[in-house]
């Protein structure tokens, strides 16, 4: 349904940023996995990858801990419907872990909230060149 709605939006400059928080466990214990990450689909366009890189560059500039699949690669690639089944550039961000105590404290803080908003706004502006 979400992909269908995005695909109905007929603006050539449309992009999709699906914003999430990650989790590594089943919710019963604090886990060690932490940090921010961005995903594109396995069939990602060059524009989707550019959007992911733009967001990652802003996260780096904010000195946020970033989870990467490899040292130099800024984004993960997975078969995610939100990114795979949309007609516009699309990424999915995982904004820290709900089951890591440090990440939760950061997400609940004013600094954390501002950082996540700033990261997304600045990353989109960077992608758009504005």
């Amino acid at each position: 349904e979400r992909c269908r709605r995005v695909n109905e939006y007929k603006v050539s400059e449309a992009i999709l940023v699906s914003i999430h928080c990650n989790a590594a466990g089943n919710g019963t214990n604090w886990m060690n996995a932490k940090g921010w990450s961005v995903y594109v689909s396995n069939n990602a366009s060059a524009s989707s990858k550019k959007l992911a890189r733009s967001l990652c560059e802003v996260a780096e500039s904010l000195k946020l801990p970033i989870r990467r699949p490899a040292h130099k690669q800024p984004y993960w690639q997975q078969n995610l419907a939100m990114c795979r089944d949309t007609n516009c550039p699309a990424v999915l961000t995982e904004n820290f872990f709900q089951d890591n105590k440090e990440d939760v404290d950061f997400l609940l803080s004013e600094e954390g909230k501002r950082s996540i908003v700033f990261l997304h706004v600045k990353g989109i502006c960077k992608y758009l060149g504005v």
Side-chain angles (χ1 to χ4, degrees):
E1 176 62 19
R2 291 178 291 172
C3 294
R4 183 190 64 73
R5 287 182 184 186
V6 169
N7 290 336
E8 284 180 354
Y9 192 65
K10 305 289 187 206
V11 175
S12 62
E13 298 86 22
I15 62 171
L16 170 73
V17 180
S18 188
I19 301 171
H20 300 258
C21 288
N22 216 335
N26 62 9
T28 59
N29 297 307
W30 291 114
M31 305 300 289
N32 293 325
K34 62 181 181 177
W36 180 89
S37 54
V38 61
Y39 291 78
V40 298
S41 68
N42 292 334
N43 65 341
S45 66
S47 295
S48 292
K49 292 175 182 179
K50 177 184 173 188
L51 177 57
R53 281 191 303 276
S54 296
L55 289 162
C56 191
E57 288 170 10
V58 174
E60 287 173 335
S61 75
L62 294 173
K63 307 279 191 254
L64 297 176
I66 301 171
R67 297 182 68 243
R68 300 171 186 265
H71 176 64
K72 297 275 186 179
Q73 186 169 335
Y75 50 80
W76 297 78
Q77 287 188 255
Q78 286 191 355
N79 191 30
L80 303 171
M82 282 301 292
C83 298
R84 179 193 67 227
D85 297 339
T86 52
N87 297 330
C88 62
V91 299
L92 183 146
T93 61
E94 291 285 7
N95 297 278
F96 300 92
F97 282 77
Q98 295 177 356
D99 50 11
N100 177 289
K101 178 81 167 99
E102 291 174 30
D103 279 7
V104 169
D105 290 344
F106 179 72
L107 285 167
L108 293 175
S109 72
E110 286 305 312
E111 175 193 2
K113 292 172 190 173
R114 278 195 286 276
S115 294
I116 297 303
V117 171
F118 182 84
L119 155 64
H120 288 86
V121 171
K122 186 74 170 180
I124 290 167
C125 288
K126 182 178 183 71
Y127 168 80
L128 296 173
V130 296

